[in-house]
Amino acid sequence: MSAASSAGFAEIPIVSLRAIDGSSQERRVLADSVGRVCHEVGFMVVTDHGVDDSVVADVFDLMQRFFALDESERALIDKRRSPHFRGWEAVGSEFTNNRVDVREQIDIWSEWPAADVAAGPVYDRLLGPNQWMPTDVLIGQREITERWMCELAALADRILSLLATSLGLDDDFFVELFGDRPMSLTKMISYPPTPPGGAGVNAHHDTGFLTLLAPGEVAGLEVQNPAGEWIAVPTVPGSFVVNLGEMLQSMTGNYFVATAHRVIAAEPRMSAAYFHGPSLDAPIAPIDLDARFIEAVAASPRHQSAGFMASAAETESGVSDMTSSHRADTYGQQLWNYFVRSYPDNVARHHADT
């Protein structure tokens, strides 16, 4: 266990991925470095990632055009109409840890045929179509979004292969785990200036596996270190911010950590996030890791005590933010818990029988 992981961190590491296509030795060194960062910090800024600048530029242009539309036009894809929690939502629609988030956003998930809600687990209700804007109101939304999701999925798989290598697993361990019906999310976000005492998004862990964020030019993303201090994520042109979700924390027995983060925006801010997820039935089962990883967790009070986002019921019973010991059995159950916690009105509207 290094001094950095026990004493905390004072900055977010910037990591070049150039060596991902290098020799086996260069790639191994990079994998070890990335694994160490994900153990000690859980956040990094990556450069030399191979995603063309136009992919990000097109998404930000799309966001500028969409959020400039009249509210009546944005409401053509109002999320409240979607039983699959997809579409646009106004400022104040989402709750994190029972506190309202001051942001407006579009959620686009991997598109699959809607499931038969009378059969199968409750989380199969998350499968279904996205809402897309009419092309005479907003040109190119679907094409730009699907290109973004395809490019970032490929990058996420490459980063997961580095993490697998760092854990002594086969390079394709996580990619194989993802199954044949992955459920990933793109979230396009517009933050107004954060009011005093509020947050663009309140402190939280990400739910899934791996998050890639194009943060835009305006700062505001902050990460909490073990000492409870909020560390600003640097704005690096052409980079992505990478962080881990609770699934990886759970599967690695807390060796990797899902680190708390929030957004406080001093001025209007836009960002685009991609949340890389497996099939809904992917199990969240512990990985059989080498003893050195288990020993590293045992030697670190921070890792031993790393918790999870509390469910709505747990919060109501007094469980503090991100201190739950409950672990979902599958990715789908993890997501369903998130929606019940964050969108109680939508759940009541479309899924009152659950």
Side-chain angles (χ1 to χ4, degrees), residues 32-351:
D32 288 345
S33 176
V34 168
R36 185 168 57 253
V37 167
C38 290
H39 171 61
E40 297 178 353
V41 182
F43 260 82
M44 59 185 169
V45 175
V46 299
T47 61
D48 305 310
H49 44 69
V51 176
D52 194 275
D53 290 345
S54 65
V55 174
V56 178
D58 286 349
V59 165
F60 274 79
D61 174 71
L62 174 65
M63 289 193 292
Q64 291 281 358
R65 290 187 286 120
F66 176 84
F67 291 117
L69 294 171
D70 291 339
E71 183 169 330
S72 61
E73 294 174 307
R74 303 198 298 278
L76 292 171
I77 56 169
D78 193 325
K79 183 184 287 186
R80 291 175 296 185
R81 291 204 296 267
S82 171
H84 316 293
F85 304 91
R86 300 154 186 251
W88 165 80
E89 62 187 51
V91 173
S93 298
E94 184 174 4
F95 291 79
T96 299
N97 288 326
N98 288 343
R99 294 184 290 274
V100 67
D101 296 327
V102 186
R103 61 177 178 177
E104 177 183 2
Q105 57 195 8
I106 314 169
D107 281 3
I108 303 293
W109 288 86
S110 303
E111 187 145 354
W112 299 104
D116 179 0
V117 298
V122 66
Y123 56 70
D124 275 351
R125 298 170 183 235
L126 302 177
L127 298 169
N130 289 297
Q131 298 191 81
W132 301 104
M133 292 289 289
T135 55
D136 61 340
V137 179
L138 187 73
I139 296 173
Q141 182 199 12
R142 183 164 189 166
E143 294 78 8
I144 291 169
T145 303
E146 290 181 343
R147 181 191 179 205
W148 157 272
M149 293 185 76
C150 181
E151 292 282 341
L152 268 68
L155 174 58
D157 280 343
R158 302 185 83 198
I159 294 172
L160 283 177
S161 74
L162 292 175
L163 293 179
T165 298
S166 77
L167 293 171
L169 306 170
D170 292 341
D171 287 359
D172 62 354
F173 178 87
F174 290 115
V175 174
E176 290 292 321
L177 180 76
F178 264 44
D180 58 3
R181 197 166 60 175
M183 272 285 282
S184 298
L185 165 66
T186 283
K187 191 179 284 286
M188 300 181 182
I189 313 166
S190 175
Y191 296 97
T194 304
V201 59
N202 289 279
H204 67 286
H205 293 163
D206 285 352
T207 298
F209 251 77
L210 187 78
T211 303
L212 304 177
L213 175 76
E217 299 177 354
V218 178
L221 178 60
E222 299 176 344
V223 177
Q224 191 173 40
N225 70 11
E229 302 164 328
W230 288 101
I231 309 300
V233 177
T235 301
V236 180
S239 69
F240 287 107
V241 179
V242 178
N243 66 281
L244 308 183
E246 289 186 340
M247 283 194 73
L248 270 178
Q249 177 176 310
S250 180
M251 294 178 71
T252 61
N254 288 7
Y255 180 76
F256 289 153
V257 285
T259 309
H261 52 288
R262 68 183 184 184
V263 171
I264 305 292
E267 56 184 295
R269 178 180 188 265
M270 288 188 186
S271 64
Y274 170 79
F275 302 84
H276 197 46
S279 296
L280 291 176
D281 60 359
I284 308 178
I287 302 170
D288 186 15
L289 295 177
D290 187 87
R292 70 182 187 275
F293 301 109
I294 300 170
E295 291 165 1
V297 173
S300 167
R302 174 200 177 192
H303 289 79
Q304 286 184 58
S305 63
F308 298 84
M309 294 283 287
S311 68
E314 286 178 311
T315 299
E316 290 173 3
S317 69
V319 175
S320 300
D321 302 347
M322 295 169 284
T323 62
S324 173
S325 60
H326 174 74
R327 290 163 169 78
D329 295 327
T330 61
Y331 174 56
Q333 188 60 57
Q334 178 94 332
L335 280 186
W336 184 257
N337 291 345
Y338 157 72
F339 283 113
V340 171
R341 182 176 63 235
S342 299
Y343 294 98
D345 291 344
N346 249 29
V347 172
R349 180 178 296 109
H350 296 289
H351 307 287

